[in-house]
Amino acid sequence: PFEPSVLPVHICSMARLKLHSELFSLAHELVEEYPQQAVPWFAVGCFYHMVSDFESARRYFSKATTLNHRFAPAWVGFGHAFAAQDESDQAMAAYRTASRLFPGSHTPWLGIGMEYLRTNHLPLAMHYIKQAHAIAPHEPAVLHELGVLHYASGEYAEAADYFTRVAEHEGDYDDAAREPSIFNLGHACRKMRRFDEAIEWYRLPPPPPPP
């Protein structure tokens, strides 16, 4: 009753929207129907990642990659779960595997770049985040991380430019994607002593919580 080719996108969308009960039910049904396939265990891993049980998430992403070593979404999930626990080496290894299996996706390159940024290896972070940007030049997470990278390098005008590209596109990006850039744009304006602009960005209301 399921179309395998769209299930990973459907599962990721449910996790992104925090549909806890719906994803739990879908994962349970998939495991019962297709226990020898990777997608059901990927769904279980996504559920546990969504509820911040990263140890369990890693266990189920690992099971998915064991059943199908070439299932790129599970390697991305594996990387996210390691990154959430500050285990950069394992996270980057998982992201690199995903980048080989899914060369058209910006997500593995962004993940590697974010890990280098988190550990303050700024030139390497720039290299990988720029690769993600070349693939997905309008992706808000990529633009935001470029802003963070320039901010960390003390390049506040460049940081403000990238944050603005996300913050001012209300019709293109949802509130949850824009919120970090709005807040960090206030920081960048403050660093440049543009205090009135910083106050304007800080005063914007936060997005409403999900239903």
Side-chain angles (χ1 to χ4, degrees), residues 77-88 90-91 95 111 115 118:
F78 219 177
H80 289 346
F82 278 122
Q85 295 183 299
D86 296 335
E87 297 188 29
S88 289
Q90 295 93 325
Y95 289 137
E115 288 305 302
R118 188 178 65 78

Side-chain angles (χ1 to χ4, degrees), residues 28-39:
H28 183 77
E29 188 174 357
L30 288 171
V31 167
E32 286 195 341
E33 291 283 340
Y34 312 109
Q36 297 305 313
Q37 295 185 21
V39 172

Side-chain angles (χ1 to χ4, degrees), residues 2-204:
F2 301 103
E3 174 51 54
S5 63
V6 300
L7 270 174
V9 175
H10 183 58
I11 291 164
C12 291
S13 298
M14 295 175 79
R16 176 72 171 81
L17 294 169
K18 305 293 186 184
L19 301 178
H20 295 79
S21 58
E22 293 89 342
L23 181 53
F24 180 87
S25 297
L26 176 63
H28 183 77
E29 188 174 357
L30 288 171
V31 167
E32 286 195 341
E33 291 283 340
Y34 312 109
Q36 297 305 313
Q37 295 185 21
V39 172
W41 303 106
F42 170 69
V44 177
C46 286
F47 172 80
Y48 280 111
H49 193 281
M50 182 174 57
V51 299
S52 300
D53 183 350
F54 301 116
E55 289 287 348
S56 296
R58 282 163 49 180
R59 185 164 63 252
Y60 288 108
F61 289 138
S62 177
K63 185 173 179 66
T65 60
T66 299
L67 289 168
N68 181 356
H69 190 72
R70 299 187 61 80
F71 186 58
W75 284 107
V76 172
F78 219 177
H80 289 346
F82 278 122
Q85 295 183 299
D86 296 335
E87 297 188 29
S88 289
D89 290 343
Q90 295 93 325
M92 287 193 285
Y95 289 137
R96 286 194 177 95
T97 300
S99 72
R100 291 192 294 270
L101 298 173
F102 201 1
S105 173
H106 70 281
T107 304
W109 301 115
L110 180 60
I112 295 170
M114 289 173 68
E115 288 305 302
Y116 278 125
L117 177 56
R118 188 178 65 78
T119 54
N120 206 38
H121 292 85
L122 301 186
L124 285 169
M126 177 65 80
H127 173 75
Y128 285 102
I129 296 175
K130 282 290 189 182
Q131 288 197 46
H133 186 247
I135 296 170
H138 304 296
E139 168 61 39
V142 175
L143 295 172
H144 176 79
E145 292 303 325
L146 281 170
V148 172
L149 179 55
H150 282 290
Y151 188 96
S153 301
E155 299 165 347
Y156 303 120
E158 292 84 351
D161 177 61
Y162 283 111
F163 293 142
T164 301
R165 295 188 202 185
V166 181
E168 290 188 342
H169 284 73
E170 186 173 359
D172 297 323
Y173 308 131
D174 63 29
D175 288 338
R178 291 172 60 239
E179 182 184 16
S181 290
I182 289 171
F183 191 71
N184 284 334
L185 182 52
H187 286 339
C189 289
R190 178 175 55 81
K191 285 289 190 178
M192 293 186 290
R193 305 187 67 80
R194 288 156 38 183
F195 298 121
D196 290 342
E197 288 181 62
I199 290 170
E200 288 182 16
W201 290 111
Y202 286 141
R203 282 180 171 169
L204 284 181

